[in-house]
Amino acid sequence: VLFHPETGFRVEALNVNGKFSVIGDGANEASELVLENASGNLNGKPFKGDFQLRNLDNPWISLRYTGELEAPTLARLLPDSVFTGVRGSLLADISVKGRVSDLKSKRTAGQVESSGSIRLQNFSLELGPERIPLTGWSGTLRFNGNDLSLEKISGKYGRSDLALNGQVRNLLAFLLHDDQRIGMEASLSSGQLDLEQMLELAFGIRNNQGYSFSISPLLNLRIGYEIEALRYRRFRAGRSEEHTSELQSLAYLVC
């Protein structure tokens, strides 16, 4: 049994083949740690994978991991102010390969290879200090280098139900470095959209001056949407037997 007291990670029934070799002070490509065909249980869930580390001074790593991870286990790695009330599970099948130092530079971050997918299963959390409720999310996040695909992502944001499919481009560079652009192209559908609650959750209770927000110039956003029913204060919109066309835009709403 291996146990990490700070994260609560417990590895049991571990099986692994490996070798460790150091040449001189370890600061060269010939020095390496290799763990192959690893398998076991992480916090009671089975996993398998491989890991390779070369050059202890300027590490190059290769990681492959397949297994299920309970969402509360993942939450222990993140500050409480970011995510709280995390529930559900993740099915991961991911691989990462490259130099750790390459992630520190905009010029070289793209040289780190990442691929694979994470599948959400009844995933719920409360986001940020406002504790914005995201509940019952499912679907697949698929990684390809700097980009992320959203495949059949669906769940609830407060009282609104949402479904997303699309692409987020240049995500890794955007998260790691300042002044990086990020692009998102997606389709969104909703059977019930409570716009008033969504704005309150995101920006607080409306005052006499209404809501105000801005979109970063680093964000390129293109979203198409189909909404079955929409609610904002006393305004209601939806389909009827006589009216079956899609709600094409929300921009005409005057609050």
Side-chain angles (χ1 to χ4, degrees):
V1 178
L2 300 177
F3 178 70
H4 192 283
E6 292 184 7
T7 62
F9 282 16
R10 179 183 295 273
V11 178
E12 299 174 296
L14 177 64
N15 294 289
V16 62
N17 299 318
K19 66 177 182 178
F20 180 51
S21 59
V22 176
I23 308 300
D25 61 0
N28 57 70
E29 295 296 326
S31 300
E32 66 176 356
L33 168 66
V34 178
L35 303 176
E36 296 178 325
N37 302 318
S39 64
N41 295 317
L42 175 60
N43 288 11
K45 300 295 183 180
F47 76 92
K48 60 182 180 179
D50 302 294
F51 178 76
Q52 183 179 1
L53 167 66
R54 291 203 308 255
N55 192 340
L56 304 182
D57 187 56
N58 184 21
W60 177 94
I61 65 169
S62 175
L63 169 68
R64 181 184 63 85
Y65 178 89
T66 302
E68 183 177 354
L69 187 65
E70 293 288 340
T73 299
L74 176 65
R76 295 189 188 103
L77 300 176
L78 303 169
D80 290 340
S81 60
V82 178
F83 300 122
T84 55
V86 181
R87 303 183 302 280
S89 63
L90 309 172
L91 294 178
D93 183 2
I94 57 176
S95 65
V96 179
K97 183 184 297 185
R99 293 192 182 280
V100 176
S101 59
D102 285 344
L103 295 173
K104 300 177 183 179
S105 169
K106 291 185 289 186
R107 184 175 56 85
T108 58
Q111 297 178 18
V112 178
E113 301 175 19
S114 63
S115 61
S117 63
I118 295 177
R119 195 163 82 227
L120 308 178
Q121 294 192 139
N122 198 25
F123 187 79
S124 301
L125 57 83
E126 294 173 347
L127 179 63
E130 298 84 7
R131 300 175 72 89
I132 297 173
L134 304 173
T135 56
W137 286 83
S138 62
T140 301
L141 306 173
R142 197 171 301 280
F143 300 89
N144 183 15
N146 261 340
D147 301 336
L148 175 69
S149 297
L150 310 174
E151 300 179 0
K152 298 181 180 179
I153 302 294
S154 63
K156 299 196 72 173
Y157 179 100
R159 290 190 293 267
S160 301
D161 61 87
L162 304 172
L164 278 167
N165 287 279
Q167 295 274 339
V168 181
R169 305 193 183 278
N170 202 37
L171 176 64
L172 181 62
F174 177 80
L175 293 175
L176 294 175
H177 306 289
D178 296 332
D179 302 322
Q180 285 289 297
R181 291 187 175 277
I182 185 172
M184 181 175 183
E185 184 171 352
S187 61
L188 180 150
S189 61
S190 174
Q192 178 70 41
L193 188 71
D194 190 330
L195 184 59
E196 180 178 10
Q197 188 196 42
M198 290 182 70
L199 292 174
E200 288 180 356
L201 290 172
F203 307 112
I205 302 298
R206 173 180 170 162
N207 56 31
N208 292 334
Q209 275 129 31
Y211 301 105
S212 65
F213 63 94
S214 60
I215 298 176
S216 169
L218 300 176
L219 174 62
N220 296 319
L221 188 63
R222 182 178 181 181
I223 297 181
Y225 51 85
E226 180 178 349
I227 302 170
E228 295 285 341
L230 181 144
R231 170 185 177 185
Y232 182 80
R233 298 173 72 83
R234 289 180 292 178
F235 179 86
R236 303 287 188 276
R239 295 176 184 267
S240 66
E241 293 182 1
E242 294 80 17
H243 178 69
T244 59
S245 64
E246 298 178 2
L247 293 173
Q248 294 294 330
S249 177
L250 305 181
Y252 67 90
L253 290 178
V254 179
C255 307

